[in-house]
């Protein structure tokens, strides 16, 4: 068999193999199960519910409790995805800590961006009961880190 004859036999097999692999890849991608993630609508709903349940900023300044202030925005998908976790923390620690939600797009939230030096959303400020800043966290904060910071905030008040 000459080199040309061998190439004529190999090329169709290579093309067929590539075609079959391509079809298999497309099939696997199409059949991939969806990842269970909360919808943005669910996150937005949780975010707005948290904002409605939050302690007003002026009340938090005057009631002598430690405070978690979260600057957020409705359009922020990270804020939306963290809302259920923050809501659970609010249910767990709400009697010991003020939970204040400030929307950066709302008048009160936008007025406090400069004094707090907000760099992005979500941004969390952990404030002790003596009004001193204990910690600032920005972005997608893992739930265990939030829990740890809240526990430290509670312990600093004791």
């Amino acid at each position: 068999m000459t080199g040309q004859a061998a190439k004529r036999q190999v090329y169709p097999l290579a093309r067929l193999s590539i075609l079959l692999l391509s079809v298999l890849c497309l099939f696997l991608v199409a059949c991939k199960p969806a990842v269970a993630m909360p919808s943005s609508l669910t996150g937005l709903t949780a975010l707005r519910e948290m904002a409605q349940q939050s302690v007003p900023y002026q009340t938090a300044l005057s009631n002598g409790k430690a405070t978690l202030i979260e600057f957020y925005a409705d359009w922020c998908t990270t804020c939306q995805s963290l809302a259920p976790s923050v809501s659970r923390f609010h249910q767990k620690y709400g009697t010991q800590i003020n939970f204040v939600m400030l929307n950066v797009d709302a008048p009160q939230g936008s007025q406090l961006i400069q004094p707090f030096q907000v760099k992005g959303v979500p941004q969390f400020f952990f404030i002790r009961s003596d009004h001193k800043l204990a910690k600032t966290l920005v972005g997608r904060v893992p739930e265990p880190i939030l829990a740890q910071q809240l526990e430290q905030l509670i312990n600093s008040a004791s």
Side-chain angles (χ1 to χ4, degrees):
M1 184 181 313
T2 67
Q4 289 294 338
K7 286 182 184 177
R8 280 188 229 132
Q9 287 180 343
V10 172
Y11 283 142
L13 287 175
R15 286 187 198 134
L16 182 60
S17 297
I18 291 170
L19 178 64
L20 288 175
L21 285 173
S22 298
V23 169
L24 180 61
C25 287
L26 288 173
F27 176 77
L28 290 174
V29 169
C31 292
K32 180 179 163 187
V35 177
M37 297 210 28
S39 73
S40 59
L41 182 59
T42 302
L44 180 59
T45 301
L47 189 63
R48 288 185 176 166
E49 285 174 3
M50 266 300 302
Q52 287 177 342
Q53 296 170 5
S54 77
V55 175
Y57 177 71
Q58 293 302 326
T59 302
L61 292 178
S62 63
N63 69 8
K65 291 175 19 180
T67 301
L68 170 65
I69 298 176
E70 178 185 356
F71 283 87
Y72 74 97
D74 285 343
W75 48 262
C76 170
T77 56
T78 301
C79 302
Q80 294 170 13
S81 69
L82 288 174
S85 297
V86 175
S87 181
R88 282 191 296 278
F89 289 132
H90 183 236
Q91 290 172 358
K92 183 175 182 178
Y93 301 115
T95 59
Q96 300 165 287
I97 298 174
N98 295 311
F99 282 79
V100 177
M101 303 281 293
L102 295 172
N103 187 337
V104 296
D105 294 328
Q108 184 182 17
S110 63
Q111 291 171 356
L112 294 170
I113 288 173
Q114 187 63 33
F116 276 97
Q117 299 177 3
V118 175
K119 305 278 189 259
V121 289
Q123 186 158 349
F124 300 93
F125 293 89
F126 298 83
I127 301 171
R128 299 187 326 219
S129 56
D130 62 2
H131 301 287
K132 293 191 176 167
L133 181 64
K135 186 79 169 180
T136 301
L137 298 172
V138 182
R140 186 177 303 280
V141 179
E143 203 169 312
I145 301 296
L146 281 173
Q148 177 187 22
Q149 292 304 316
L150 289 169
E151 289 288 340
Q152 287 178 3
L153 200 58
I154 289 168
N155 293 335
S156 72
S158 302

